[in-house]
């Protein structure tokens, strides 16, 4: 059964935006917990995941720069994705309706100055671990979470790794080995095939 | 294992020395054979692999390699452990094994106590409980939570399964009319079943229930799967043996297999006829002294063969079944095995009087 | 190395502190037991801190993260083919299955579809990786319970499947075979017949496991009624795969969504079980392996001919957008949420791995269980550490 377009009768959802053959909803920030409850009441009982998106383009690029050259100019403009948005961080969640075979992705903005959002633990118990991980990786505090502590990282780790301004240490420590002196292939050896 | 006629020619200290050597051989030989034949080879074949093949022809020297490996290891005693008890524990367990072997008759005259030991069965059952002490000592003194859990489980289990074992044996004792192990063997060799003497009268024929219960209880006494909660490898690492390494672990290891041999020996003595072949084949009567002297050499071999068969069953079950949980284990002992063995005793007594 | 050492030290100190605090505050004799991280029972380095009252667990908490490799951060600096090679290693027992949702999501963004032959072969390899993964579970759960022999049979019969995967893709454990738009290569000659023979062997293996383990009374006693997960709790925690189906929820992503894989072209059955206990989980997985062998057979029979790769440019730039695809992996539901900005590599990949959700239920599930049952429950939930920790 395919997922089909459907307008949910969510009275509390702020904006419905960009449904493709998949459904995205962007929720107003203070209605996040409400949205979770409404989703559960509407039959979306299967909790898939909660995570976050950081829309800042990485100031380090891919770490593939030649260290002998000055770093190139990069855009620092934040462009959000599918359902628009106003902030750098967005929290993302997905739930399914088992009986109707429909899945919904819910997004919400997180204020830049003070990244806090309500926790879904009271609605979906499984959000516990997901929110812990999101807090650990992005630094978004989940209000109402019973036990917000590190999941993967050691307790004294500083910083939030998945934020874009947190560098990928491996690329910082050593220059990227992919920088090679590229010599043009001699004409007679150029057997460029069509393998993609 | 001295033939009666030789005894007169030797001084007492020589006889004792031979006895000590004999019991060491009696303990180590089955243990070693079991380890090689069953632990290395049989289980490997059952698991579609070959087992040790490199050391010696078909891996036969692996046992000596293992022993050497254990002997050259560092002798560790954990810092918080109760040193004296920690050191004594494996010896207590082995002590129980040696004491068990001493009671088993290996031939018409090849016994350690002579033929007049009228409490053989009682002694054997009593002495087999000494190992519980050793296991408790090991678990407690290791200063390790896993070991403690293992030791406590073991104590509960071993005590629980003593009873079915004892009750199963009572049926045999009733039937034989004596607790003297030698007498039991001779009776099995010499008795006739309803006048037919062709196969003697091994008590497994009438005491099959007792035999089954005894084997199950033996499996539990040896803490083999399906009763190996104390040594549950995937949960408690090695249970009460976790902190032991090197030589001390070797003692536990040998103790485990030697005790398997001991229980198999006792089972074969009580149920299968021990060292005897049916006496009617050779025209011997009920008297032990009428049995030919060559039996003193052949007897141990026959007994060994029977031990191997029973141990095969013990190890086969060990490598196949998953393990019981502790409370299921206890429930099985108290609610299933003991009632059945009580019924067995009743029936045996009634039939014995009737016939 | 030092990082791990520090964490272990900290964790040890923390557990000692917790222990001391508990004993002082409550003056009880609860014992804090550490199961793991090095332990024969846990599939890898999972640490479970359990507080015991006698033999019953009062409180348990798994402490994951010993294998965290930072996949989501790594994907940000890699191109799509590089990411494919990387994500093979998330669930290393059935590794082709990890690539599939990622490639499908990327193809969704590019709005191309792989040719039918590639879809068929993708599905076949997907099912083979499921068989490889779950047949190990069948033996593995037995060994956790004490039966040491079935796991050897599982490894032996799994070798056949791994040989087939290697013949087709070149790698037993990490095929790295999927490409955006299709597959890397076509199947070698004779592969179809060999795989059919292999499926027969696996069916007999399943029958063997059924008689040996499911028919064993001790196994039944150890697993029936242990670790019951009711339906609502399973849904709330996002349990997936066989764990969900053995709680009575009829939800299988292969059937319930339309993806460019060949599942809707053949008949096959979804197995569920009403009890939510450990026995049900084992039973459902056993049936699923058998079902997978039939699926593979049917797919092999109906394999269409044609190209293996769709027309894609040499350097793949995926257009802007976001896409989410999840599939029914051997361990459960695995999904990738790809955010792309039109680059050669993704902007952000969120990996939703099945074992993360499956293990998140353990604090709830392990309360009141006995210590041996903890092992049974963990074994029946079946997680792979790489999947939890990514």
């Amino acid at each position: 059964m395919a997922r089909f377009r459907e307008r949910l009768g969510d009275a509390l959802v702020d904006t419905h935006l960009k449904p493709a053959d998949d459904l995205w909803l962007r929720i107003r920030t203070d209605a996040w917990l409400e949205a979770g409850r409404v989703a559960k009441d509407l039959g979306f009982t299967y909790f898939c995941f909660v995570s976050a998106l950081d829309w800042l383009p990485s100031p380090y690029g891919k770490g593939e720069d030649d260290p002998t050259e000055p770093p190139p100019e990069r855009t620092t403009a934040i462009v959000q994705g599918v359902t628009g948005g106003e902030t750098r961080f967005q929290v993302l969640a997905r739930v399914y309706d088992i009986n109707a075979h429909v899945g919904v992705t819910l997004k919400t903005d997180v204020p830049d100055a003070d990244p806090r959002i309500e926790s879904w633990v009271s609605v979906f118990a499984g959000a516990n671990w997901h929110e812990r991980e999101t807090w650990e990786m992005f630094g978004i505090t989940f209000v109402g979470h019973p036990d917000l502590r590190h999941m993967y990282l050691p307790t004294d780790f500083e910083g939030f790794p998945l934020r874009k301004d947190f560098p990928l240490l491996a690329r910082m420590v050593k220059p990227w080995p992919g920088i090679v002196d590229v010599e043009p292939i001699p004409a007679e050896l150029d057997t460029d095939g069509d393998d993609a | 294992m001295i033939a009666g006629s030789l005894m007169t020619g030797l001084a007492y200290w020589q006889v004792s020395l031979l006895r000590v050597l004999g019991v060491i051989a009696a303990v180590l030989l089955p243990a070693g054979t079991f380890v090689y034949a069953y632990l290395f080879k049989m289980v490997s074949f059952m698991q579609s692999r070959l087992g040790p093949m490199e050391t010696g022809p078909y891996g036969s020297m692996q046992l000596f390699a293992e022993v050497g490996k254990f002997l050259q290891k560092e002798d560790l005693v954990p810092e918080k452990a109760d040193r004296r008890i920690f050191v004594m524990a494996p010896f207590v367990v082995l002590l129980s094994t040696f004491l068990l072997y001493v009671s088993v008759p290996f031939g018409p005259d090849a016994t350690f106590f002579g033929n007049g030991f009228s409490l053989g069965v009682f002694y054997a059952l009593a002495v087999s409980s000494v190992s519980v002490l050793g296991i408790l000592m090991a678990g407690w003194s290791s200063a390790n939570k896993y070991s403690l859990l293992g030791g406590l489980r073991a104590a509960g289990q071993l005590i629980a399964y003593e009873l079915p074992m004892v009750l199963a044996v009572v049926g045999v004792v009733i039937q034989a009319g004596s607790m003297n192990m030698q007498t039991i063997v001779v009776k099995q060799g010499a008795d006739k079943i309803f006048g037919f003497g062709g196969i003697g009268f091994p008590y497994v024929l009438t005491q099959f229930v007792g035999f089954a219960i005894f084997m199950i209880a033996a499996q539990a006494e040896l803490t083999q799967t399906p009763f190996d909660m104390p040594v549950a490898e995937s949960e408690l690492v090695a249970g009460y043996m976790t902190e032991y390494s090197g030589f001390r672990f070797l003692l536990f290891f040998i103790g485990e297999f030697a005790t398997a041999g001991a229980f198999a020996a006792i089972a074969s003595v009580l149920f299968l006829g021990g060292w005897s072949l049916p006496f009617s084949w050779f025209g011997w009567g009920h008297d032990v002294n009428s049995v030919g002297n060559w039996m003193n050499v052949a007897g141990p071999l026959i007994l060994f063969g029977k031990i191997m068969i029973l141990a095969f069953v013990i190890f086969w079950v060990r490598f196949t079944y998953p393990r019981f949980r502790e409370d299921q284990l206890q429930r099985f002992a108290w609610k299933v095995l003991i009632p059945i063995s009580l019924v067995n005793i009743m029936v045996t007594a009634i039939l014995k009087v009737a016939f | 190395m030092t990082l791990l050492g520090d964490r272990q030290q900290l964790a040890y100190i923390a557990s000692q502190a917790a222990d001391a605090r508990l004993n002082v505050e409550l003056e009880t004799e609860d014992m804090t037991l550490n199961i793991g991280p090095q332990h024969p029972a846990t599939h890898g380095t999972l640490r479970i801190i359990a507080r015991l009252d006698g033999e019953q667990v009062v409180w348990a908490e798994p402490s994951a993260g010993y294998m965290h490799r930072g996949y989501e951060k790594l994907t940000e600096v890699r191109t799509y083919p590089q990411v494919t090679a990387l994500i093979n290693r998330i669930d290393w027992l059935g590794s082709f299955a990890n690539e599939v949702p990622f490639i499908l999501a990327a193809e969704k963004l590019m709005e191309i579809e792989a040719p039918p032959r590639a879809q068929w072969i993708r599905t076949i390899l997907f099912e083979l990786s499921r068989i490889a993964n779950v047949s190990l579970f069948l033996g593995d759960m037995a060994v956790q319970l004490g039966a040491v022999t079935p796991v050897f049979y599982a490894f032996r019969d799994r070798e056949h499947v791994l040989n087939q995967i290697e013949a087709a893709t070149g790698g037993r454990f990490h095929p790295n075979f999927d490409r955006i738009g299709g597959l890397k290569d076509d199947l070698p000659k004779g592969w179809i017949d060999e795989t059919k023979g292999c499926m027969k062997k696996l069916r007999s293996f399943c029958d063997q496991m059924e008689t040996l383990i499911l028919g064993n009374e001790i196994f039944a006693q150890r697993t029936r009624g242990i670790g019951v997960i009711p339906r609502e709790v399973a849904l709330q925690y996002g349990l997936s795969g066989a764990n969900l189906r053995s709680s009575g929820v009829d939800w299988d992503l292969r059937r319930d969504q339309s993806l460019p894989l060949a599942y809707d072209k053949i008949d096959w059955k979804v197995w569920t079980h009403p009890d939510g206990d450990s026995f049900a989980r084992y039973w459902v997985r056993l049936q699923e392996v058998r079902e997978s062998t039939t699926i593979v057979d049917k797919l092999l029979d109906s394999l269409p001919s044609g190209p293996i790769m769709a027309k894609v440019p040499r350097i793949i730039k995926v257009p802007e957008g976001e896409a989410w695809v999840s599939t029914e992996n051997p361990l459960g539901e695995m999904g990738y949420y790809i955010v792309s900005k039109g680059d050669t590599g993704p902007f952000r990949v969120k990996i939703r791995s099945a074992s993360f959700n499956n293990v998140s239920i353990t604090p709830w599930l392990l309360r009141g269980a006995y210590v041996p049952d903890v092992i049974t429950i963990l074994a029946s939930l079946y997680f792979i550490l790489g999947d939890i920790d990514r």
Side-chain angles (χ1 to χ4, degrees), chain B residues 58-73:
Chain B
Y58 293 105
S60 45
M61 296 288 122
Q62 179 73 18
L63 187 59
F64 299 101
E66 297 253 337
V67 170
K69 175 189 83 168
F70 278 122
L71 287 177
Q72 53 93 30
K73 285 200 182 198

Side-chain angles (χ1 to χ4, degrees), chain B residues 193-210:
Chain B
I193 315 174
F194 300 118
F196 174 63
I199 52 168
F201 191 7
Y203 287 142
V204 69
L205 293 176
T206 51
Q207 294 288 320
F208 48 89
V209 175

Side-chain angles (χ1 to χ4, degrees), chain A residues 32-193:
Chain A
W32 182 240
L33 185 58
E34 235 354 83
R37 278 204 205 105
V38 169
K40 195 163 179 208
D41 289 333
L42 279 177
F44 288 89
T45 49
Y46 180 83
F47 170 77
C48 201
F49 70 91
V50 167
S51 184
L53 295 166
D54 179 356
W55 289 108
L56 181 72
S58 167
Y60 306 102
K62 290 199 166 196
E64 294 170 3
D65 310 320
D66 198 336
T68 56
E69 292 177 26
E73 286 298 310
R74 284 184 233 279
T75 59
T76 48
I78 298 180
V79 180
Q80 271 85 358
V82 168
T83 52
E86 290 135 19
T87 62
R88 178 179 160 195
F89 288 112
Q90 284 190 327
V91 168
L92 176 73
R94 188 165 177 87
V95 287
Y96 281 112
D97 183 343
I98 297 271
N99 299 318
H101 299 200
V102 181
V104 166
T105 313
L106 297 153
K107 279 186 177 189
T108 186
D109 290 335
V110 174
D112 275 336
D114 174 29
R116 302 162 75 85
I117 188 104
E118 292 154 330
S119 159
W120 268 21
V121 173
S122 50
V123 183
F124 291 104
N128 193 322
W129 274 31
H130 289 264
E131 287 175 357
R132 257 174 79 189
E133 192 207 342
T134 313
W135 169 76
E136 177 184 47
M137 293 288 157
F138 285 96
I140 300 174
T141 318
F142 286 88
V143 178
H145 191 280
D147 186 22
L148 208 57
R149 59 188 158 91
H150 278 293
M151 164 140 268
Y152 289 153
L153 303 169
T155 4
D156 57 352
F157 196 89
E158 282 174 17
F160 299 106
L162 269 179
R163 289 195 180 179
K164 290 289 200 262
D165 47 0
F166 190 95
L168 184 61
L169 295 175
R171 292 272 160 114
M172 296 294 121
V173 164
K174 250 183 11 178
W176 185 55
I179 304 170
V180 289
D181 264 342
V182 182
E183 278 189 19
I185 303 174
E188 57 267 21
L189 290 179
D190 193 336
T191 54
D192 206 54

